Amino acid sequence: MALKKIEHAAPKKQIMTLDELEAFVRDARSTGAAGSEEILASVSWGGKLQSIAVEVEMAPADRPSLDKQP
């Protein structure tokens, strides 16, 4: 399966807000994230969230397969 990276970041020199975090979670869930994926994040020196990302496994597209099926 292919991986799709979902990434959200605050504008330059700003930090992420709760609304932006919520939008990231909605985006990841709608793409197929199950909730057990590892999250990658970058934080400021003060510990504030600047960007967040997750890689989600994408299901194969619904198309006919060339594999022979029994």
Side-chain angles (χ1 to χ4, degrees):
M1 284 193 195
L3 291 177
K4 180 176 182 180
K5 188 173 189 177
I6 309 299
E7 191 169 16
H8 284 231
K12 193 171 184 170
K13 296 193 178 199
Q14 293 185 18
I15 57 172
M16 290 185 72
T17 64
L18 185 58
D19 286 339
E20 291 167 329
L21 180 59
E22 180 182 19
F24 166 78
V25 172
R26 274 188 273 123
D27 191 13
R29 290 288 190 178
S30 69
T31 303
S36 59
E37 295 83 2
E38 291 183 8
I39 296 173
L40 304 169
S42 66
V43 296
S44 68
W45 283 101
K48 295 180 181 172
L49 192 58
Q50 294 176 323
S51 67
I52 190 168
V54 66
E55 289 185 343
V56 178
E57 282 192 31
M58 299 297 296
D62 291 332
R63 60 182 178 180
S65 174
L66 296 177
D67 295 335
K68 292 185 180 183
Q69 297 181 7

